[in-house]
Amino acid sequence: MKKSALIFIFITLVIDCIGIGIIIPVMAGLVKEITNLGTSEASAYGGYLGVTYALMQFIFSPIMGNLSDQYGRRPVLLLSLLGLGIDYIFLAFAPSLMWLFVGRLIAGISGASFTTGMAYIADISTPEKRAANFGLVGAAFGLGFILGPIIGGFTAEIFDNLRAPFLVAAGLSLINLLFGIFFLPESLLASNRRKFSWARANPIGAFKQVTRYPGIAIYLLALGLLFLAGNTMQSTWGFFTIESFNWNAKQIAVSLTIVGIMAAVVQGGLVKYAIAYFGQLNSVIVGVSIQILGFLLFSFATQEWMMYAFTVVYCLGGICGPALQGLISTGVPANEQGEIQGTVTAVMSLTSIISPLMMTQIFSYFTASKTSGHYFPGAAFMTAAGVDIIIILILIYTARKRKLAATG
């Protein structure tokens, strides 16, 4: 039952990620098309769209997580998929920038499927298998990046229309909804359910609940900083490659496919071996260290082939996310997995509010004029490397403090 259920949720997340991956190669171009602005100015609006989505997720993800703790994962997951489908339809027919924002609002409110998907995985995983199974979420994300950008980039080129991929994404999301209705079993046992509480179904209440579990708060802080740095890829990759190499949607799609392949290999296969060899905490430290190197290489890339080569280095750092999520999940009981995953998503959403604004504004500032003394398209990647350094310092300090406490 557990193995088949894990396959079901993996397929659900893969199709969901394909829908997300489809729009990434064309979003930057669509914002430029609607606003009639240059790359530097349009990147700021791209950041605002990302913030709108993240703000709604920040508010509603604890609600979705708490609802899933009472009513089960399945109905909440299906509701999320329906919201994504509606969002893509709005994006496909948006006549103005305002309607793009409406679509992002709907998608954010729906809660997306990852909150409930991670809780689903926690339900059916033993504590020792949880971190490795969380790697399947990253593998699903990677596989979505393999197929989604290719479909999106080539669909836009075939139909010579930047909006065509959104219709494909809407269709996949709705197909995914039907798949879930007929094939996705419920994972949360009746004995592990608890009543919905408004006091806990909000970001502040969710963060307060975390303080009841020693050690979880510091890991959530580290995970939030990891998301803050990682969002640089989503926020600025398209704008960076357009600015630096004049890439089109197809070229962006191919590059993101390479990212997806590497992410799927690392998080779907390498994670469990890394955790077995290094342990969970050391896997986080090693992974973040590799990610720092990847960001630094991206920031100084001067030729197109470098983006592909440096992607391999960056993606090897992907072992850190599942290991960190495993540390967080194993620290809370079974009847609060939905809540803690809602809190994780709230943290992710909070950083997704900050990161697109921060990173796109940094990119915009450092690319405003090629004749200025501070022209540096890779500034956002450099900033992300700095954020990752803070993570390592926090984790090393925490590990040494606990070791000293354990030895008296």
Side-chain angles (χ1 to χ4, degrees):
M1 169 62 181
K2 289 185 178 181
K3 185 175 181 180
S4 62
L6 200 60
I7 294 173
F8 280 137
I9 198 67
F10 176 74
I11 293 173
T12 298
L13 292 177
V14 166
I15 298 176
D16 192 17
C17 290
I18 289 174
I20 296 172
I22 280 176
I23 70 174
I24 293 176
V26 298
M27 181 59 84
L30 181 61
V31 173
K32 288 180 64 178
E33 179 184 282
I34 288 180
T35 60
N36 292 316
L37 295 173
T39 302
S40 181
E41 297 88 347
S43 67
Y45 285 102
Y48 299 146
L49 284 167
V51 167
T52 300
Y53 175 81
L55 179 61
M56 292 299 100
Q57 272 212 323
F58 175 67
I59 295 171
F60 285 90
S61 57
I63 296 176
M64 292 295 187
N66 276 264
L67 285 172
S68 76
D69 278 342
Q70 176 172 350
Y71 298 107
R73 316 302 184 200
R74 187 175 181 275
V76 177
L77 183 60
L78 297 180
L79 179 63
S80 298
L81 296 175
L82 177 62
L84 276 179
I86 295 173
D87 164 52
Y88 293 135
I89 292 173
F90 266 92
L91 295 178
F93 295 101
S96 66
L97 190 63
M98 182 192 73
W99 287 104
L100 290 182
F101 280 100
V102 171
R104 294 285 81 188
L105 280 169
I106 294 172
I109 291 173
S110 73
S113 60
F114 278 96
T115 297
T116 315
M118 289 188 293
Y120 194 111
I121 290 173
D123 291 339
I124 62 175
S125 302
T126 58
E128 60 272 14
K129 294 283 188 178
R130 199 163 284 165
N133 286 343
F134 277 136
L136 291 177
V137 178
F141 190 75
L143 193 54
F145 256 109
I146 295 171
L147 301 176
I150 286 292
I151 295 171
F154 280 86
T155 301
E157 183 176 1
I158 291 171
F159 291 96
D160 194 24
N161 189 332
L162 290 173
R163 298 171 183 267
F166 295 102
L167 291 175
V168 177
L172 285 175
S173 294
L174 296 177
I175 290 172
N176 195 15
L177 174 63
L178 293 175
F179 173 84
I181 289 173
F182 291 106
F183 296 106
L184 188 66
E186 178 55 62
S187 64
L188 186 62
L189 298 174
S191 58
N192 287 333
R193 301 190 185 194
R194 62 175 180 83
K195 288 186 177 181
F196 180 86
S197 170
W198 281 109
R200 299 166 69 165
N202 63 81
I204 304 302
F207 292 145
K208 285 183 178 179
Q209 291 297 314
V210 171
T211 60
R212 296 184 297 135
Y213 302 106
I216 297 298
I218 196 67
Y219 291 144
L220 273 174
L221 174 60
L223 188 65
L225 292 173
L226 188 65
F227 288 143
L228 183 71
N231 274 327
T232 306
M233 295 288 286
Q234 301 174 32
S235 302
T236 64
W237 182 270
F239 294 109
F240 175 82
T241 53
I242 290 173
E243 177 71 19
S244 299
F245 310 114
N246 197 31
W247 281 5
N248 56 31
K250 180 180 176 181
Q251 290 170 301
I252 295 172
V254 171
S255 67
L256 290 175
T257 299
I258 302 298
V259 174
I261 292 172
M262 287 302 303
V265 170
V266 171
Q267 299 200 28
L270 187 60
V271 166
K272 59 183 179 182
Y273 297 108
I275 291 174
Y277 185 78
F278 295 112
Q280 285 190 327
L281 182 58
N282 286 335
S283 292
V284 179
I285 295 174
V286 171
V288 174
S289 300
I290 296 172
Q291 199 173 82
I292 290 171
L293 177 59
F295 278 130
L296 291 175
L297 291 172
F298 283 144
S299 65
F300 291 106
T302 56
Q303 298 184 46
E304 295 182 37
W305 66 265
M306 293 181 178
M307 297 303 292
Y308 296 102
F310 298 161
T311 291
V312 177
V313 178
Y314 170 79
C315 289
L316 285 174
I319 61 174
C320 58
L324 194 49
Q325 287 178 312
L327 287 170
I328 294 169
S329 180
T330 53
V332 299
N335 66 346
E336 295 182 14
Q337 287 298 322
E339 180 177 46
I340 192 61
Q341 298 307 333
T343 305
V344 167
T345 304
V347 171
M348 179 173 61
S349 301
L350 179 61
T351 58
S352 296
I353 294 170
I354 300 170
S355 185
L357 276 179
M358 183 172 82
M359 298 306 181
T360 55
Q361 291 299 322
I362 289 173
F363 175 84
S364 181
Y365 175 78
F366 282 94
T367 58
S369 174
K370 291 187 177 181
T371 59
S372 68
H374 59 261
Y375 181 80
F376 182 40
F381 291 129
M382 181 72 75
T383 304
V387 173
D388 276 349
I389 290 173
I390 296 173
I391 297 173
I392 289 182
L393 294 177
I394 290 174
L395 293 177
I396 290 176
Y397 171 78
T398 301
R400 288 182 176 178
K401 185 177 179 180
R402 290 178 180 174
K403 184 177 181 180
L404 289 173
T407 57

